[in-house]
Amino acid sequence: MPTARFQIGDTVMGRWPGSNLYYEVKVLSYDNKTLLYTVIYKDGTELELKESDITSLTVFKQGGRSRSRSRSRSPGRPRRSRSRSPARTPRRSSSRTTDVRKEKLKEVLEVRLTPVPLTHENNSNSRHEKKEENNTASAVTEEKTETESENQAGGRYNLRHRKDQGDGKTVELEQKTETAVLSQTKPPTAIKTTDLEFGGRVGVFFLMFLLPVAVLALLILCGQKDASLQSFPLELPALQSLWDWQVFGIVLLWLLFQAVLSLLPFGKLVEGMPLKNGKTLKYRINGVYALLLTAVAVGVAVYQEVDLSYIHAHFLQFYTSALLIVTLLSVYLFVRSRWASQDELAPGGNSGYVIYDFFMGRELNPRIKNFDIKFFCEMRPGLLGWVLINFAMLQAEMKHQNLENPSPAMLLVNIFQLLWVVDGFWHEEKLLTMMDIVYDGFGFMLTFGDLAFVPFTFTCQAYYLVSHPSELSVFWIITLITMNGVGYYIFRKANSQKFVFRKNPSDPAVSHLKTIPTATGKSLIVSGLWGWLRHPNYLGDIFMGLAWSLPCGFNHLIPYFYLIYLITLLVHRNARDDRQCRKKYGSAWEEYCKAVPYRIFPGIY
Ligand SMILES: NC(=O)C1=CN([C@@H]2O[C@H](COP(=O)(O)OP(=O)(O)OC[C@H]3O[C@@H](n4cnc5c(N)ncnc54)[C@H](OP(=O)(O)O)[C@@H]3O)[C@@H](O)[C@H]2O)C=CC1
Ligand SMILES: CC(C)=CCC[C@@H](C)[C@H]1CC=C2C3=C(CC[C@@]21C)[C@@]1(C)CC[C@H](O)C(C)(C)[C@@H]1CC3
């Protein structure tokens, strides 16, 4: 009769199926027939493990000590990324900061899985470690269902989530875990960036010139009577016609006005995602107030008979002014990043190549005291500038076409896009969890995107309509409203569902959804919109983008620029996110991809 080596109630280290990671588990029972131990992980996941996959705690502690003694880092070798998985145990470190961080995160980590890689892992390179770290088994959970999965070694593992047992206490544990994940997930450590995007140094060098020139070309075409690509003027506009100091002054005033609004002490102060040093930054969420105050200021200006069509008449000059500010700001950001500590660097903008890092952005959250430059630029001057420019185009249309009222096409474009911007401000807080804020550095790409690309290309439909009238039938108007409504519904529902789920998976609004657990303690939604597509929110956005372009008719391709940009960006973003999720969630992500094969478009893998 076989005897159990470990006793019920023992705390031991259990291997996570299919990986070399060990987590602290408690032995719940031992089955003499199958020779399997039932163990429970700290996040409530129960598994049946073979004895060979269980090791006593002391063995690990000894192994850990000898490891830390023997590990010597050569100066050239990048620091290992530890924060990729939120479930990692902070190890012994000589640094006092790490100890402080350990203390701060202790409470959170108590409800997390605590993986400890096998000793031989130290012989492998860091890329391999990352892969192993996230290689986890997973199962689709549903009320009262279980999925059995075979691990790579052929052993039997029985995955069960405690939620399935209808145990209220456990749901609370899961809720605590997920909440902790939302508020405590750390961005990856700023090790040297080796995976270069956008074609590396050469790619970004060309992009840096190509993007501003492409936008200029788009604006030139959009303002021409014949906006077809073949009619692009062979003679470029004279340089002096592209510059106006007064316009430059107006752009500076606009930025200053928005900066002042963003510093007003209205709205709540919220904490962003934790940084590598365990600290969190505070953000003032007052976008809705800024929107309202800007609307009042514009209303007063119009009442005072300020002619907003000036913006239309000087559109190219506004663009070049914005471009100069983008360039100066990017240089400032790059220079100041020299004084940023390792902790403050973005994982994607630290390659050591000046051009690449300048483009991608070295610093993650550049701030002047409490003023967060990235958060400000991402939401305020560009998005509000877009709405203001749209409104100016509406006035210009009435003036140029001698209309008493704006055309239905112009009204639709204005209203649809205003709705999207208002929605963005209403949900401003959610931006704090997005990759742009959490992972991306603030360099030329985002500065240009936020301050030049958004206000000058997203307005391209309204700009086009000023000199290209478009008749819309009632049927067409209803179709476009429906299309925008459906797109908005999918976009909003998917984004909100994910946000609420990440905050509290037991929230009644999302508790009915089926999920796939992952070793990080977070789960992935696998039903509803997120069970239909891997990025339902992108599809909603694309529907809206289509509804914004169609009012301009089919005479030219130019008004479809936004749609083409959006699809390209979202396809690229999907690939990027897919890579990150595969690293983060390992086989759980594979499982999700199998369960939900379509990415953005139904029927297209
Ligand atoms: N108009 C424009 O110019 C742009 C618009 N957007 C819009 O912004 C919105 C947000 O986009 P973005 O942040 O890129 O991407 P998503 O909102 O799709 O977020 C992706 C993240 O969501 C989490 N996730 C993925 N699948 C699941 C799942 N099944 N269950 C739970 N969580 C999941 C993962 O993060 P984790 O697990 O770590 O939480 C993943 O990294 C979109 O609606 C997009 O259309 C974006 C860019 C530009
Ligand atoms: C060509 C080029 C340099 C592109 C840069 C891309 C940026 C313009 C966009 C990347 C992601 C964005 C998001 C918003 C604006 C455009 C950029 C910055 C966003 C803040 C707009 C408001 C929305 O509600 C949003 C919060 C969902 C959205 C987030 C992404």
Side-chain angles (χ1 to χ4, degrees), residues 101 104-105 184 186 274-280 343:
R101 192 176 82 205
K104 279 192 177 170
L105 294 179
Q184 299 291 340
K186 292 177 286 160
L275 306 169
K276 279 183 299 261
N277 53 18
K279 289 187 193 148
T280 48
D343 275 352

Side-chain angles (χ1 to χ4, degrees), residues 224-522:
Q224 279 189 173
K225 193 80 206 127
D226 182 1
S228 52
L229 294 175
Q230 303 94 295
S231 318
F232 193 81
L234 292 176
E235 267 185 43
L236 291 175
L239 269 186
Q240 24 333 359
S241 72
L242 290 178
W243 187 255
D244 187 315
W245 283 105
Q246 188 180 339
V247 169
F248 183 67
I250 295 173
V251 175
L252 279 182
L253 273 179
W254 172 253
L255 287 171
L256 197 68
F257 176 55
Q258 289 306 327
V260 169
L261 292 187
S262 78
L263 290 171
L264 290 180
F266 308 140
K268 53 181 175 179
L269 263 183
V270 303
E271 286 191 0
M273 305 289 274
L275 306 169
K276 279 183 299 261
N277 53 18
K279 289 187 193 148
T280 48
L281 296 172
K282 286 205 164 62
Y283 295 85
R284 171 79 62 193
I285 303 297
N286 60 7
V288 174
Y289 294 101
L291 178 81
L292 291 175
L293 288 171
T294 306
V296 170
V298 172
V300 170
V302 172
Y303 185 74
Q304 297 291 323
E305 298 191 347
V306 172
D307 182 11
L308 287 184
S309 67
Y310 175 88
I311 297 179
H312 172 262
H314 296 82
F315 206 39
L316 289 188
Q317 294 151 353
F318 272 97
Y319 171 65
T320 48
S321 295
L323 203 54
L324 179 67
I325 289 168
V326 164
T327 312
L328 295 176
L329 182 59
S330 310
V331 171
Y332 163 75
L333 290 166
F334 188 73
V335 171
R336 64 166 270 158
S337 73
R338 301 227 147 255
W339 289 276
S341 69
Q342 278 293 309
D343 275 352
E344 289 162 345
L345 297 184
N350 192 20
S351 69
Y353 301 124
V354 173
I355 292 285
Y356 187 83
D357 295 347
F358 176 78
F359 184 81
M360 298 300 286
R362 286 190 83 229
E363 209 174 332
L364 188 60
N365 308 106
R367 281 189 163 208
I368 302 170
K369 295 206 180 222
N370 283 337
F371 180 68
D372 190 296
I373 310 175
K374 180 162 78 168
F375 188 62
F376 168 72
C377 290
E378 190 96 347
M379 287 300 285
R380 303 302 174 82
L383 283 187
L384 288 174
W386 172 15
V387 174
L388 175 65
I389 292 171
N390 269 357
F391 185 56
M393 297 300 170
L394 182 147
Q395 293 216 323
E397 184 203 46
M398 285 162 60
K399 189 171 165 184
H400 284 256
Q401 297 177 27
N402 285 321
L403 300 175
E404 272 188 19
N405 297 306
S407 69
M410 181 62 96
L411 272 178
L412 284 189
V413 167
N414 262 264
I415 293 169
F416 288 166
Q417 299 186 346
L418 178 66
L419 172 76
W420 199 79
V421 172
V422 171
D423 175 89
F425 281 112
W426 194 257
H427 299 278
E428 189 178 14
E429 192 181 336
K430 294 179 184 155
L431 183 70
L432 297 177
T433 62
M434 284 180 60
M435 65 167 116
D436 308 72
I437 297 291
V438 179
Y439 293 99
D440 293 341
F442 198 48
F444 182 85
M445 182 179 76
L446 272 186
T447 318
F448 175 77
D450 293 339
L451 302 182
F453 197 81
V454 169
F456 293 94
T457 66
F458 287 20
T459 47
C460 133
Q461 294 95 342
Y463 186 35
Y464 175 88
L465 284 173
V466 176
S467 40
H468 304 87
S470 168
E471 295 286 315
L472 294 181
S473 65
V474 175
F475 171 77
W476 205 208
I477 292 174
I478 293 172
T479 308
L480 292 175
I481 293 176
T482 312
M483 185 183 285
N484 194 68
V486 170
Y488 178 71
Y489 174 80
I490 300 175
F491 165 84
R492 179 51 31 232
K493 179 147 189 182
N495 279 327
S496 292
Q497 213 168 50
K498 179 164 64 83
F499 188 78
V500 171
F501 181 76
R502 281 281 169 260
K503 223 172 169 179
N504 173 12
S506 304
D507 189 301
V510 292
S511 59
H512 62 285
L513 295 169
K514 293 179 202 167
T515 59
I516 290 179
T518 79
T520 65
K522 286 185 184 182

Side-chain angles (χ1 to χ4, degrees), residues 539-554:
L539 183 71
D541 225 351
I542 290 168
F543 261 42
M544 286 190 278
L546 187 61
W548 301 353
S549 302
L550 286 172
C552 302
F554 301 101

